[in-house]
Amino acid sequence: INAKAVVVAAHLLEAAPRDVIAGGGRFSVRGVHGRSVAWAEVARAAHAPAAAGLSRSSAGLEATASYDPPPAAFSNGVHMAMVEVGCDTGQVAVLRYAIAEDCGPLVNPLLVEGQIHGGLAQGLGEAFLEEVRYDDSGQPLTATFMDYLIPAAVKTPSVKLVHLETRSPFTAGGFKGMGEPATIGAPACIANAVSDALRRSVEALPITPSASSDGSAWAPLPPPHLRGDPRPPREPHRGGPTVRTGSANTPAVGRDTPGHGGGRRGKVR
């Protein structure tokens, strides 16, 4: 921008660009006192080149630059969840949730944690609520937020956060992306924990009591002695339904765009 401004100022001062110097908000001719133009005059001439007798190549005072980082600045983390599933109703409650996240050096820890909380909420919405549905004639049934449900703050569980700071050797400052891992890890972690509680694989999202057309995914479990499962269901609380508890650890790897997540390992708590 400064180089372009010098060319315009040289035209206004009737001098060679190499003799024009900038300082104090003005352009002047080297060694000549009393001859100068202000930045405002230069900008006005640059944006109306014809009126100032300039060529179109001198129009505008702007510059464009781009930065294409190498595709290797992955953030990563691990999600851990403990859930409780009602054997008769299929309702799922998230009892505990923890995330260990590594996005490199934390520039603003408050914003980083906000990204994680927001990503977790989005991931929980994908795991439990969000679904685009159509009727038999192809009309959308989830066209508003009255039908397409998203998680509210009161429905989002508390989460324990652990920060790791491993610098990336491929980016300035060693920074990594932050938005994807929380969103990627949550659905897989919840699905693994529910699978652990039900002793069967959950392979479709969202996880609802009507997740399968015949309801088999949420059918009441047979007694342990018929199933060969040593873990009995928990007794009802104060007359409440019988529930099963499951947990899972799920690694998540992501970058700003796109993100990737994976891994599954159920673990009984």
Side-chain angles (χ1 to χ4, degrees):
I1 292 176
N2 189 72
K4 293 181 69 174
V6 166
V7 172
V8 175
H11 175 80
L12 298 178
L13 294 169
E14 299 180 347
R18 65 177 180 273
D19 295 328
V20 175
I21 58 175
R26 302 185 70 84
F27 295 87
S28 59
V29 179
R30 191 188 316 272
V32 179
H33 297 286
R35 294 186 61 192
S36 66
V37 290
W39 261 102
E41 298 174 73
V42 172
R44 189 179 302 111
H47 287 279
L54 292 165
S55 64
R56 288 184 175 272
S57 61
S58 300
L61 291 179
E62 57 190 32
T64 302
S66 62
Y67 171 66
D68 185 15
F74 290 92
S75 56
N76 53 79
V78 174
H79 288 232
M80 293 161 282
M82 178 178 288
V83 303
E84 190 174 74
V85 183
C87 295
D88 301 319
T89 65
Q91 296 298 315
V92 181
V94 180
L95 304 181
R96 300 176 63 187
Y97 206 98
I99 301 176
E101 197 84 32
D102 182 357
C103 66
L106 303 183
V107 178
N108 187 323
L110 183 62
L111 292 182
V112 170
E113 294 191 359
Q115 285 271 59
I116 297 174
H117 282 99
L120 173 60
Q122 182 179 346
L124 292 176
E126 181 181 348
F128 290 126
L129 301 172
E130 299 181 35
E131 181 181 17
V132 178
R133 293 181 288 108
Y134 300 87
D135 63 16
D136 294 338
S137 62
Q139 294 299 313
L141 301 178
T142 51
T144 72
F145 286 129
M146 293 293 291
D147 306 302
Y148 185 91
L149 303 179
I150 57 177
V154 294
K155 296 295 185 179
T156 303
S158 298
V159 57
K160 177 178 177 60
L161 301 181
V162 177
H163 296 296
L164 304 176
E165 296 188 26
T166 304
R167 291 178 175 270
S168 169
F170 303 106
T171 60
F175 306 117
K176 306 175 186 178
M178 188 59 251
E180 290 290 341
T183 302
I184 292 170
C189 186
I190 291 295
N192 289 341
V194 173
S195 295
D196 181 60
L198 296 178
R199 286 54 151 185
R200 59 169 69 93
S201 178
V202 173
E203 299 178 349
L205 299 178
I207 303 171
T208 65
S210 58
S212 62
S213 58
D214 60 359
S216 60
W218 296 98
L221 295 176
H225 69 281
L226 297 179
R227 192 175 61 251
D229 192 331
R231 294 181 292 173
R234 289 172 51 185
E235 293 300 321
H237 294 287
R238 299 180 182 178
T242 303
V243 296
R244 290 193 169 275
T245 303
S247 62
N249 303 340
T250 302
V253 179
R255 55 184 305 220
D256 284 341
T257 54
H260 303 278
R264 62 183 330 184
R265 182 179 67 186
K267 186 175 181 180
V268 181
R269 298 291 185 186

PDB file of all heavy atoms in Angstrom, residues 238-258:
ATOM      1  N   ARG A 238     -36.215 -45.248  44.622  1.00  0.00           N
ATOM      2  CA  ARG A 238     -37.482 -44.702  45.120  1.00  0.00           C
ATOM      3  C   ARG A 238     -38.626 -44.968  44.141  1.00  0.00           C
ATOM      4  O   ARG A 238     -39.389 -44.076  43.766  1.00  0.00           O
ATOM      5  CB  ARG A 238     -37.353 -43.194  45.369  1.00  0.00           C
ATOM      6  CG  ARG A 238     -36.303 -42.849  46.413  1.00  0.00           C
ATOM      7  CD  ARG A 238     -36.220 -41.344  46.618  1.00  0.00           C
ATOM      8  NE  ARG A 238     -35.197 -41.007  47.585  1.00  0.00           N
ATOM      9  CZ  ARG A 238     -34.875 -39.756  47.929  1.00  0.00           C
ATOM     10  NH1 ARG A 238     -35.530 -38.745  47.379  1.00  0.00           N
ATOM     11  NH2 ARG A 238     -33.934 -39.519  48.812  1.00  0.00           N
ATOM     12  N   GLY A 239     -38.710 -46.174  43.717  1.00  0.00           N
ATOM     13  CA  GLY A 239     -39.806 -46.522  42.832  1.00  0.00           C
ATOM     14  C   GLY A 239     -39.574 -46.170  41.383  1.00  0.00           C
ATOM     15  O   GLY A 239     -40.457 -46.331  40.543  1.00  0.00           O
ATOM     16  N   GLY A 240     -38.369 -45.686  41.031  1.00  0.00           N
ATOM     17  CA  GLY A 240     -38.073 -45.312  39.654  1.00  0.00           C
ATOM     18  C   GLY A 240     -37.782 -46.530  38.801  1.00  0.00           C
ATOM     19  O   GLY A 240     -37.786 -47.674  39.273  1.00  0.00           O
ATOM     20  N   PRO A 241     -37.508 -46.325  37.510  1.00  0.00           N
ATOM     21  CA  PRO A 241     -37.271 -47.441  36.596  1.00  0.00           C
ATOM     22  C   PRO A 241     -35.890 -48.058  36.811  1.00  0.00           C
ATOM     23  O   PRO A 241     -34.986 -47.446  37.355  1.00  0.00           O
ATOM     24  CB  PRO A 241     -37.358 -46.779  35.223  1.00  0.00           C
ATOM     25  CG  PRO A 241     -36.931 -45.367  35.477  1.00  0.00           C
ATOM     26  CD  PRO A 241     -37.460 -45.031  36.836  1.00  0.00           C
ATOM     27  N   THR A 242     -35.752 -49.321  36.400  1.00  0.00           N
ATOM     28  CA  THR A 242     -34.456 -49.980  36.420  1.00  0.00           C
ATOM     29  C   THR A 242     -33.550 -49.325  35.383  1.00  0.00           C
ATOM     30  O   THR A 242     -33.980 -49.017  34.281  1.00  0.00           O
ATOM     31  CB  THR A 242     -34.609 -51.474  36.109  1.00  0.00           C
ATOM     32  OG1 THR A 242     -35.505 -52.053  37.053  1.00  0.00           O
ATOM     33  CG2 THR A 242     -33.267 -52.197  36.167  1.00  0.00           C
ATOM     34  N   VAL A 243     -32.289 -49.092  35.745  1.00  0.00           N
ATOM     35  CA  VAL A 243     -31.379 -48.395  34.843  1.00  0.00           C
ATOM     36  C   VAL A 243     -30.097 -49.194  34.698  1.00  0.00           C
ATOM     37  O   VAL A 243     -29.771 -50.039  35.519  1.00  0.00           O
ATOM     38  CB  VAL A 243     -31.043 -46.977  35.356  1.00  0.00           C
ATOM     39  CG1 VAL A 243     -32.286 -46.115  35.384  1.00  0.00           C
ATOM     40  CG2 VAL A 243     -30.388 -47.029  36.733  1.00  0.00           C
ATOM     41  N   ARG A 244     -29.377 -48.912  33.612  1.00  0.00           N
ATOM     42  CA  ARG A 244     -28.064 -49.495  33.388  1.00  0.00           C
ATOM     43  C   ARG A 244     -27.073 -48.359  33.157  1.00  0.00           C
ATOM     44  O   ARG A 244     -27.393 -47.364  32.526  1.00  0.00           O
ATOM     45  CB  ARG A 244     -28.074 -50.446  32.192  1.00  0.00           C
ATOM     46  CG  ARG A 244     -28.853 -51.703  32.477  1.00  0.00           C
ATOM     47  CD  ARG A 244     -28.616 -52.776  31.431  1.00  0.00           C
ATOM     48  NE  ARG A 244     -29.176 -54.032  31.882  1.00  0.00           N
ATOM     49  CZ  ARG A 244     -28.544 -54.890  32.670  1.00  0.00           C
ATOM     50  NH1 ARG A 244     -27.321 -54.618  33.064  1.00  0.00           N
ATOM     51  NH2 ARG A 244     -29.115 -56.002  33.063  1.00  0.00           N
ATOM     52  N   THR A 245     -25.861 -48.537  33.680  1.00  0.00           N
ATOM     53  CA  THR A 245     -24.822 -47.525  33.544  1.00  0.00           C
ATOM     54  C   THR A 245     -23.732 -48.028  32.617  1.00  0.00           C
ATOM     55  O   THR A 245     -23.321 -49.180  32.699  1.00  0.00           O
ATOM     56  CB  THR A 245     -24.208 -47.185  34.917  1.00  0.00           C
ATOM     57  OG1 THR A 245     -25.235 -46.755  35.796  1.00  0.00           O
ATOM     58  CG2 THR A 245     -23.174 -46.075  34.785  1.00  0.00           C
ATOM     59  N   GLY A 246     -23.283 -47.147  31.734  1.00  0.00           N
ATOM     60  CA  GLY A 246     -22.202 -47.491  30.824  1.00  0.00           C
ATOM     61  C   GLY A 246     -21.260 -46.319  30.687  1.00  0.00           C
ATOM     62  O   GLY A 246     -21.614 -45.176  30.970  1.00  0.00           O
ATOM     63  N   SER A 247     -20.039 -46.586  30.242  1.00  0.00           N
ATOM     64  CA  SER A 247     -19.061 -45.521  30.055  1.00  0.00           C
ATOM     65  C   SER A 247     -18.162 -45.866  28.892  1.00  0.00           C
ATOM     66  O   SER A 247     -18.109 -47.003  28.427  1.00  0.00           O
ATOM     67  CB  SER A 247     -18.226 -45.303  31.320  1.00  0.00           C
ATOM     68  OG  SER A 247     -17.500 -46.479  31.634  1.00  0.00           O
ATOM     69  N   ALA A 248     -17.459 -44.839  28.387  1.00  0.00           N
ATOM     70  CA  ALA A 248     -16.586 -45.053  27.238  1.00  0.00           C
ATOM     71  C   ALA A 248     -15.513 -43.991  27.196  1.00  0.00           C
ATOM     72  O   ALA A 248     -15.706 -42.869  27.673  1.00  0.00           O
ATOM     73  CB  ALA A 248     -17.385 -45.040  25.937  1.00  0.00           C
ATOM     74  N   ASN A 249     -14.362 -44.349  26.618  1.00  0.00           N
ATOM     75  CA  ASN A 249     -13.299 -43.402  26.295  1.00  0.00           C
ATOM     76  C   ASN A 249     -13.219 -43.338  24.773  1.00  0.00           C
ATOM     77  O   ASN A 249     -13.155 -44.374  24.114  1.00  0.00           O
ATOM     78  CB  ASN A 249     -11.939 -43.873  26.836  1.00  0.00           C
ATOM     79  CG  ASN A 249     -11.968 -44.091  28.331  1.00  0.00           C
ATOM     80  OD1 ASN A 249     -12.828 -43.572  29.010  1.00  0.00           O
ATOM     81  ND2 ASN A 249     -11.031 -44.876  28.827  1.00  0.00           N
ATOM     82  N   THR A 250     -13.228 -42.155  24.195  1.00  0.00           N
ATOM     83  CA  THR A 250     -13.196 -42.019  22.742  1.00  0.00           C
ATOM     84  C   THR A 250     -12.198 -40.943  22.350  1.00  0.00           C
ATOM     85  O   THR A 250     -12.367 -39.780  22.725  1.00  0.00           O
ATOM     86  CB  THR A 250     -14.580 -41.647  22.191  1.00  0.00           C
ATOM     87  OG1 THR A 250     -15.515 -42.649  22.579  1.00  0.00           O
ATOM     88  CG2 THR A 250     -14.545 -41.554  20.667  1.00  0.00           C
ATOM     89  N   PRO A 251     -11.147 -41.299  21.607  1.00  0.00           N
ATOM     90  CA  PRO A 251     -10.219 -40.270  21.114  1.00  0.00           C
ATOM     91  C   PRO A 251     -10.851 -39.478  19.991  1.00  0.00           C
ATOM     92  O   PRO A 251     -11.688 -39.986  19.252  1.00  0.00           O
ATOM     93  CB  PRO A 251      -9.018 -41.083  20.623  1.00  0.00           C
ATOM     94  CG  PRO A 251      -9.589 -42.417  20.277  1.00  0.00           C
ATOM     95  CD  PRO A 251     -10.730 -42.647  21.224  1.00  0.00           C
ATOM     96  N   ALA A 252     -10.455 -38.228  19.857  1.00  0.00           N
ATOM     97  CA  ALA A 252     -10.961 -37.370  18.781  1.00  0.00           C
ATOM     98  C   ALA A 252      -9.810 -36.573  18.202  1.00  0.00           C
ATOM     99  O   ALA A 252      -8.990 -36.032  18.935  1.00  0.00           O
ATOM    100  CB  ALA A 252     -12.034 -36.423  19.295  1.00  0.00           C
ATOM    101  N   VAL A 253      -9.747 -36.518  16.898  1.00  0.00           N
ATOM    102  CA  VAL A 253      -8.737 -35.731  16.204  1.00  0.00           C
ATOM    103  C   VAL A 253      -9.455 -34.826  15.235  1.00  0.00           C
ATOM    104  O   VAL A 253     -10.384 -35.237  14.557  1.00  0.00           O
ATOM    105  CB  VAL A 253      -7.741 -36.636  15.433  1.00  0.00           C
ATOM    106  CG1 VAL A 253      -6.718 -35.777  14.701  1.00  0.00           C
ATOM    107  CG2 VAL A 253      -7.061 -37.592  16.389  1.00  0.00           C
ATOM    108  N   GLY A 254      -9.058 -33.553  15.176  1.00  0.00           N
ATOM    109  CA  GLY A 254      -9.756 -32.654  14.273  1.00  0.00           C
ATOM    110  C   GLY A 254      -8.909 -31.469  13.902  1.00  0.00           C
ATOM    111  O   GLY A 254      -7.885 -31.191  14.507  1.00  0.00           O
ATOM    112  N   ARG A 255      -9.328 -30.783  12.847  1.00  0.00           N
ATOM    113  CA  ARG A 255      -8.734 -29.515  12.475  1.00  0.00           C
ATOM    114  C   ARG A 255      -9.879 -28.610  12.091  1.00  0.00           C
ATOM    115  O   ARG A 255     -11.032 -29.010  12.081  1.00  0.00           O
ATOM    116  CB  ARG A 255      -7.733 -29.675  11.324  1.00  0.00           C
ATOM    117  CG  ARG A 255      -8.280 -30.351  10.096  1.00  0.00           C
ATOM    118  CD  ARG A 255      -7.203 -30.539   9.061  1.00  0.00           C
ATOM    119  NE  ARG A 255      -6.575 -29.285   8.738  1.00  0.00           N
ATOM    120  CZ  ARG A 255      -6.227 -28.946   7.507  1.00  0.00           C
ATOM    121  NH1 ARG A 255      -6.481 -29.751   6.505  1.00  0.00           N
ATOM    122  NH2 ARG A 255      -5.638 -27.795   7.264  1.00  0.00           N
ATOM    123  N   ASP A 256      -9.582 -27.358  11.742  1.00  0.00           N
ATOM    124  CA  ASP A 256     -10.653 -26.406  11.495  1.00  0.00           C
ATOM    125  C   ASP A 256     -11.612 -26.894  10.412  1.00  0.00           C
ATOM    126  O   ASP A 256     -12.807 -26.876  10.583  1.00  0.00           O
ATOM    127  CB  ASP A 256     -10.065 -25.045  11.100  1.00  0.00           C
ATOM    128  CG  ASP A 256      -9.525 -24.334  12.330  1.00  0.00           C
ATOM    129  OD1 ASP A 256      -9.920 -24.699  13.448  1.00  0.00           O
ATOM    130  OD2 ASP A 256      -8.713 -23.433  12.161  1.00  0.00           O
ATOM    131  N   THR A 257     -11.108 -27.315   9.265  1.00  0.00           N
ATOM    132  CA  THR A 257     -11.933 -27.883   8.205  1.00  0.00           C
ATOM    133  C   THR A 257     -11.102 -28.807   7.343  1.00  0.00           C
ATOM    134  O   THR A 257     -10.044 -28.411   6.864  1.00  0.00           O
ATOM    135  CB  THR A 257     -12.500 -26.785   7.275  1.00  0.00           C
ATOM    136  OG1 THR A 257     -11.423 -25.993   6.783  1.00  0.00           O
ATOM    137  CG2 THR A 257     -13.509 -25.911   7.981  1.00  0.00           C
ATOM    138  N   PRO A 258     -11.556 -30.032   7.085  1.00  0.00           N
ATOM    139  CA  PRO A 258     -12.628 -30.707   7.803  1.00  0.00           C
ATOM    140  C   PRO A 258     -12.075 -31.358   9.052  1.00  0.00           C
ATOM    141  O   PRO A 258     -10.876 -31.284   9.298  1.00  0.00           O
ATOM    142  CB  PRO A 258     -13.088 -31.757   6.778  1.00  0.00           C
ATOM    143  CG  PRO A 258     -11.795 -32.128   6.082  1.00  0.00           C
ATOM    144  CD  PRO A 258     -10.988 -30.833   6.005  1.00  0.00           C
TER     145      PRO A 258
END
